[in-house]
């Protein structure tokens, strides 16, 4: 089951800024476990977008940024582009479940 | 470049067994923990299992514990997922994924993903 809660969908016009929230608990994000974000384009495997809350792997545009506060995290996309249309998932580790947990997923639509 | 290629998926009857394979290349397989993650049709991502870089310890989601077993052969750069007592709810695309950090214990993320292999449990 998904332990981290995300909004089902967000949308924005090209060039705009959108944010995706990821709400956890004191046994995952609030327990200081690292937060990761993944982008899943249609019919493809997920791709790592953000690691350790706010760092971008090589090759990920700086339009993508991550942050964490308390038991929540968020992903921001600035200068929205049509190729950003995808599903986005947050992920962390949960000490109560002794396992890795994903967010419920958010579909980004570019209007 | 880093590559993960899964194989072994197919259609299996409820209660049956199946073994998935993941061939790794382009990185030092022996220094990285490896995961299996699945995605049911039209649904989100679910972590399934993790095996440490040395194969000594393995960890499972509650939904598969006791039915699935993960193993690896570092001399062959290969990861496996042995699935038994399969249920309809195990139907999913199964991805293998490389852990983000070398020599890691549970608690990180998934760096590189394969393209997945489909498992369908149906009579």
């Amino acid at each position: 089951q998904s332990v981290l809660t995300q909004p089902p969908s967000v949308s924005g016009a090209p060039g705009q800024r959108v944010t995706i929230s990821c709400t956890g608990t004191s046994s995952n994000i609030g327990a200081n476990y690292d937060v990761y974000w993944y982008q899943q384009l249609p019919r493809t495997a997920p791709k790592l977008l953000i690691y350790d809350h706010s760092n971008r792997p090589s090759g990920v545009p700086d339009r993508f940024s991550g942050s964490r506060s308390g038991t929540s995290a968020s992903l921001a996309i600035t200068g929205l582009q049509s190729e950003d249309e995808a599903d986005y998932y947050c992920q962390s580790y949960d000490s109560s479940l002794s396992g890795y947990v994903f967010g419920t997923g958010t579909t980004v639509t570019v209007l | 470049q880093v590559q993960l290629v899964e194989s072994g998926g197919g259609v299996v009857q409820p209660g049956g067994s199946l073994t998935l394979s993941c061939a790794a290349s382009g990185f030092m397989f022996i220094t990285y923990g490896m995961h299996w993650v699945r995605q049911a049709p039209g649904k989100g991502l679910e972590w399934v299992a993790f095996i440490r870089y040395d194969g000594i310890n393995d960890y499972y989601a509650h939904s598969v514990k006791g039915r699935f077993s993960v193993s690896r052969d570092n001399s062959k750069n290969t990861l496996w997922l042995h699935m038994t007592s399969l249920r309809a709810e195990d139907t999913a695309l199964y991805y293998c994924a490389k852990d983000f950090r070398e020599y890691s214990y549970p608690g990180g993320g998934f760096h590189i993903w394969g393209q997945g292999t489909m498992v369908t449990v149906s009579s």
Side-chain angles (χ1 to χ4, degrees):
Chain A
Q1 78 282 15
S2 296
V3 173
L4 306 178
T5 302
Q6 299 177 230
S9 62
V10 299
S11 61
Q16 282 191 329
R17 179 180 188 268
V18 297
T19 61
I20 301 170
S21 60
C22 173
T23 303
T25 67
S26 58
S27 62
N28 42 69
I29 298 175
N32 228 25
Y33 287 105
D34 291 328
V35 177
Y36 295 73
W37 288 90
Y38 304 89
Q39 177 192 58
Q40 187 175 31
L41 297 169
R43 295 172 297 282
T44 68
K47 169 192 168 185
L48 178 64
L49 208 57
I50 297 286
Y51 67 94
D52 295 354
H53 321 310
S54 59
N55 296 293
R56 287 183 307 277
S58 170
V60 174
D62 59 7
R63 303 185 293 103
F64 296 92
S65 62
S67 63
R68 182 191 67 165
S69 178
T71 57
S72 295
S74 65
L75 174 73
I77 310 173
T78 57
L80 197 62
Q81 299 181 8
S82 58
E83 64 248 40
D84 298 333
E85 282 205 334
D87 292 328
Y88 293 82
Y89 295 90
C90 59
Q91 174 259 314
S92 187
Y93 184 83
D94 191 285
S95 57
S96 294
L97 296 174
S98 297
Y100 298 77
V101 290
F102 284 96
T104 46
T106 299
T107 298
V108 170
T109 302
V110 181
L111 301 172
Chain B
Q1 78 281 19
V2 176
Q3 193 170 16
L4 298 170
V5 179
E6 303 92 338
S7 61
V11 180
V12 60
Q13 292 190 338
S17 301
L18 201 61
T19 296
L20 307 182
S21 301
C22 172
S25 60
F27 67 100
M28 285 290 288
F29 185 73
I30 197 171
T31 67
Y32 285 90
M34 296 293 295
H35 301 265
W36 288 97
V37 178
R38 68 185 181 183
Q39 186 169 33
K43 302 296 184 182
L45 300 168
E46 180 189 16
W47 171 75
V48 173
F50 169 67
I51 185 167
R52 271 183 46 182
Y53 61 95
D54 52 11
I56 291 178
N57 295 105
D58 48 357
Y59 308 83
Y60 300 91
H62 293 318
S63 58
V64 306
K65 199 166 190 176
R67 301 187 298 122
F68 289 13
S69 174
V70 59
S71 61
R72 64 190 294 162
D73 185 335
N74 286 343
S75 69
K76 297 180 179 178
N77 287 1
T78 302
L79 174 76
W80 293 280
L81 183 68
H82 312 277
M83 305 183 293
T84 65
S85 301
L86 282 162
R87 307 165 180 166
E89 54 264 35
D90 296 318
T91 294
L93 185 61
Y94 284 73
Y95 296 102
C96 71
K98 168 183 167 289
D99 198 82
F100 185 71
R101 289 187 165 83
E102 291 183 290
Y103 307 113
S104 60
Y105 285 79
F110 316 101
H111 191 190
I112 303 295
W113 301 61
Q115 287 307 300
T117 186
M118 186 68 199
V119 173
T120 302
V121 183
S122 173
S123 54

